[in-house]
Each structure stands twice: as C-alpha cells, then as structure tokens.
Amino acid sequence: MSNLLRHLLAICILMTCGPRAYGQLERYVYSADSAQIDPEQKYELRFTIDALTFFRDNEYNSKELVKGYTLPGMWLAPTLSYQPLRNLKVEAGAFMLHYWGANRYPNANYSSLESIEAQRTSKAFHCVPVFRANLQLTPQVNIVLGTLYGKSAHGLSAPLYNDELNLTSDPETGVQVLWHPEWMSLDAWIDWQDFIFRNDQGQERFAFGLSTRFLPSRRKARAQWHLPLQLVMKHTGGEINTGASDRSIKTWLNAATGAGVDVALRTRRVPVTLSADLTAAYFSQQSGSVLPFDKGYGLLAQVGARIWHFGLNAAWWQSHDFIPVYGSTLFSSMSTSAAATTLTDPHAFLFHAEYAQPLARGFSWGVGLDYMLHGEESIINSEDPSWRSGQTKGNFSAGIYLRLSPSFLIKKFRTAQTR
C-alpha cells in the first residue's frame, strides 16, 4: 500500500505541473456524426456514405498480457435518411467490415471477456443492418432508438474504453438518452448485443453505460473545469435459453470519476490548449466467477497539450486487480493471451502523439502513435505456481486513418402544408 501512496503523490504532483490534450482523432476521425437535428433539413431525403479506412500496427512486447497484431481494413456504412419533422430523423442502411486478406468472419461479439464460439460465419465481409430513429424532444434532449451514437462519442476515459473498437466493433444498438444543458453533458444507453430465442445455444448479452461530465466553469472562462462520472456494465445471461451449455449469469462493471481542467492560451496565430486530469477507475465482478478478481481499482493521471491539429499526451497508470470491460488489455491485471495468468499491481507510463485534420466537409484524416512502458511486480500463472517473472517492457502502436462521411441531398419533398 505504501508504494501505491507514493504513486498517488506522484500523480498529484503531475496534476499541478502539466496539461492533458483531448484527442484530435476522436474529434475529427472517430466521432464524425452528431445527434443534433438541423430543423432546416425537414422533408429532406439524404444519402450518406460513412466510411473509415485504416491501417493500425500493434507491436506488444508484453506477450504474457496480450499478443501483438495488425489491423488493415475498412468499414463502410451507407444509409438513407429522411426527416419528416423538424425534430425527428430516421435512418436505414448497413454496416460492413472488411480486413484486407480476410475471407471469413465469425458472427460473434469481439469485445467479450469470456471466450465465445461463433455459431455462424459469413464470407467476404461482415455485415449488420443499421436503423436509427432520433427524436429531439428539446434543443438539449435527444432520444435515440436502434443504432446509437456510440463508440468514442460516449466520451469514456481510456481505462473504460479502447479506441481501437472504433475500427473493429459493430455499431451499438438499443436505446440512448442524450442531455446537454450548459452545465453538464449526459449520455445514458443500453447496447443490446446478443438477442436469443428459446433453446438457443448462446446467451443473452447487453451492456449499460452512463457517461456524464459536469461543467462548473463559466462559458467564457479561460480555465474550463470538468468533473466526469462514468459507468459501464456488461451482463450475460438469459432465462429462455434452456438448451445452452452455459447458463451461468455473468455481470461485470467498470466505473470512473475524477476531475480535469482545460486552459486555452492566448496566442495570435496558433491555438494552444493545455489540460490535465486525474481519473480513478473501479472494477467489480457483480455475478459469476469467470474472471480471477471480484474487485479492483486503478489511477490514471494525464498531462498534455493540443497545438493546432497536433495532440501530445503523457500519463501514468497504477492499478490493483483491475480488469477493463471494454478498455485495452494493457490496462488490465488479467492476461488475454495466456490462460490463468494475472499481474500483481501493474503500472505503466503512457505517451500518445497524434495529428488529425479535416480536409473538407465530410472528409478528414489522421495519424496516431502510442507508446506504453509497462511494468509489473510479478506475473503469476495459477496453473504453474513456480513460474513467476516481473520486468518492464515497451509496447507501441501506430496507425493511419481516413474518414469519409459525405452526405448528398436526393430530394426535398413539399407537403400540402408547405405549398
């Protein structure tokens, strides 16, 4: 515990010394769509091509924790949208994922912590339907049914969400409530991942999330404070799958809270923003015994800067028995590459650099580089107690991304009321 207190003191010192940069990749590349409805687009029928092509290489030396891999590919989501009311928009289409060189895809949820045997496979590319009904009750409140405004748009902290899911995961589907008054932002959602019928061999799976950010600062203040409160819970079960081999209920939870500040510097030519934050993360295995720990926690301190289209970020991570539900395995105390392998009090220094730029309306690109100096007191394999090791290892990933989301007006219908 004394080591953890020393690390906490170091984190507090970092908080007073430097800033954190909000991601340009999230702003320009990952989260290209917005839930806000334009009332001027009433009666418009539009065709939108939303696509992200990517090449990401993960070179990991911490092979006892996670093995390295490369992601070359793209996803494509063409949709038709119609806005029958000033505050209602309906969209329908498809989401297709393809990795260069792959010709077979399992129909399974890739972000599950437990192993899944895919019951079906698809050829050539992976494809799922897209349908979204977005109702804007007030200028500050949106209710979304169907395909959600998800992934990086939730604004979850790094230990709770791996930004690589922007490349690999299916669109989230279910129900979502967005509320954005001046003093806070709230995003609450249920993502229904696996629906089951009677005697299905699989289990029902869904996730619940809550991402809030309180904004106590005045809008024109140079220092903008934010107080996040976040929660992600994943549940696996189902009462009607009597034919499933595994009917055990499993529920896992991650939560995070903290404080941060953004400071905009007054410069004549190049905009500069300095920021810093401290995040406390929590893990709990609410039900089931699949994972090796029932409870865990972690602390993340970040400092950085955003200079024009460049972003730089440095961070320190310290944890104990923490397992991310949707975060990167590099934040975890449990290995996903070696069975029955756990880490004792892992810690890491992280560095992130990126450049992202909009090219035109509906077009943007970016590059990113991550380096993590990962250390642990010991790596323990419960199946072979005599095997222990502990050392510091470097892991890095680099990627280049191109986002295309142009929208084309097909026709604007004139109703009897507008003639």
Side-chain angles (χ1 to χ4, degrees):
M1 179 62 71
S2 59
N3 288 335
L4 183 59
L5 290 177
R6 285 197 295 270
H7 289 311
L8 180 59
L9 177 60
I11 288 172
C12 294
I13 295 173
L14 284 172
M15 279 287 295
T16 63
C17 294
R20 176 176 82 81
Y22 284 109
Q24 301 284 61
L25 285 173
E26 285 83 354
R27 181 181 179 185
Y28 294 123
V29 177
Y30 293 152
S31 301
D33 49 2
S34 173
Q36 288 297 113
I37 295 179
D38 185 355
E40 299 300 321
Q41 294 183 1
K42 183 179 178 182
Y43 304 133
E44 287 187 357
L45 178 65
R46 285 186 167 270
F47 176 64
T48 301
I49 301 175
D50 195 7
L52 177 64
T53 182
F54 50 85
F55 188 96
R56 177 164 174 156
D57 182 32
N58 297 324
E59 297 291 337
Y60 297 148
N61 290 320
S62 300
K63 301 187 187 309
E64 301 88 351
L65 185 63
V66 57
K67 295 181 179 180
Y69 52 93
T70 301
L71 291 172
M74 69 169 296
W75 58 254
L76 174 67
T79 58
L80 278 173
S81 66
Y82 179 63
Q83 193 168 316
L85 304 173
R86 294 173 60 87
N87 63 338
L88 177 63
K89 185 176 181 180
V90 181
E91 301 173 70
F95 174 88
M96 295 166 281
L97 173 67
H98 177 69
Y99 298 116
W100 310 124
N103 55 22
R104 201 167 188 85
Y105 296 81
N107 291 341
N109 189 292
Y110 297 104
S111 59
S112 298
L113 291 174
E114 80 280 20
S115 62
I116 292 180
E117 294 293 334
Q119 299 181 38
R120 299 172 303 276
T121 59
S122 57
K123 295 182 179 180
F125 56 87
H126 176 66
C127 182
V128 295
V130 170
F131 179 84
R132 175 190 291 138
N134 181 4
L135 176 62
Q136 189 164 308
L137 295 178
T138 73
Q140 300 173 343
V141 178
N142 288 69
I143 296 179
V144 182
L145 293 171
T147 303
L148 309 182
Y149 295 95
K151 302 185 180 181
S152 279
H154 293 310
L156 294 171
S157 60
L160 268 62
Y161 190 79
N162 184 0
D163 70 339
E164 192 174 282
L165 293 176
N166 290 287
L167 315 179
T168 61
S169 68
D170 289 342
E172 299 167 24
T173 53
V175 60
Q176 181 178 32
V177 177
L178 300 168
W179 182 34
H180 297 283
E182 289 187 4
W183 54 276
M184 73 166 296
S185 64
L186 181 146
D187 183 356
W189 69 95
I190 296 177
D191 174 24
W192 208 273
Q193 298 170 346
D194 283 288
F195 180 85
I196 61 173
F197 295 94
R198 184 178 297 275
N199 296 326
D200 266 354
Q201 294 300 311
Q203 284 189 290
E204 180 179 87
R205 292 179 175 86
F206 67 87
F208 168 78
L210 175 67
S211 179
T212 61
R213 176 175 291 219
F214 298 94
L215 308 170
S217 304
R218 291 176 292 119
R219 178 178 294 183
K220 296 183 179 180
R222 289 183 59 193
Q224 294 290 324
W225 288 89
H226 52 268
L227 307 172
L229 178 62
Q230 303 173 348
L231 182 147
V232 177
M233 182 181 70
K234 182 166 185 176
H235 174 78
T236 301
E239 299 179 8
I240 64 174
N241 57 338
T242 56
S245 57
D246 180 11
R247 299 186 61 198
S248 63
I249 297 175
K250 298 176 280 291
T251 305
W252 307 304
L253 179 146
N254 278 161
T257 187
V261 61
D262 302 309
V263 180
L265 301 185
R266 295 175 179 174
T267 59
R268 293 184 177 181
R269 295 184 178 180
V270 180
V272 178
T273 301
L274 305 179
S275 31
D277 72 336
L278 177 66
T279 302
Y282 173 76
F283 161 76
S284 174
Q285 184 168 223
Q286 300 284 309
S287 58
S289 57
V290 174
L291 304 183
F293 310 119
D294 288 330
K295 293 182 180 180
Y297 57 86
L299 291 167
L300 178 69
Q302 303 183 84
V303 294
R306 187 174 69 226
I307 306 171
W308 193 49
H309 296 304
F310 293 92
L312 300 173
N313 188 26
W316 173 261
W317 169 251
Q318 175 77 45
S319 66
H320 174 75
D321 293 352
F322 179 82
I323 299 177
V325 178
Y326 290 103
S328 170
T329 304
L330 293 173
F331 287 98
S332 181
S333 296
M334 180 189 74
S335 171
T336 60
S337 62
T341 300
T342 59
L343 282 68
T344 302
D345 297 335
H347 53 271
F349 171 78
L350 304 93
F351 176 78
H352 175 75
E354 63 183 21
Y355 176 88
Q357 178 185 14
L359 302 173
R361 186 174 182 179
F363 299 88
S364 58
W365 79 288
V367 293
L369 173 67
D370 289 279
Y371 180 79
M372 172 182 279
L373 190 62
H374 196 276
E376 60 279 333
E377 294 183 6
S378 61
I379 303 175
I380 304 172
N381 189 316
S382 61
E383 296 180 352
D384 184 7
S386 63
W387 180 68
R388 289 171 176 259
S389 65
Q391 55 183 314
T392 300
K393 297 181 178 180
N395 307 282
F396 80 89
S397 65
I400 181 169
Y401 317 94
L402 176 64
R403 183 71 178 265
L404 304 88
S405 54
S407 181
F408 306 95
L409 175 62
I410 297 177
K411 182 177 178 61
K412 183 159 186 174
F413 296 91
R414 296 178 61 86
T415 65
Q417 290 82 358
T418 61
R419 290 172 183 163

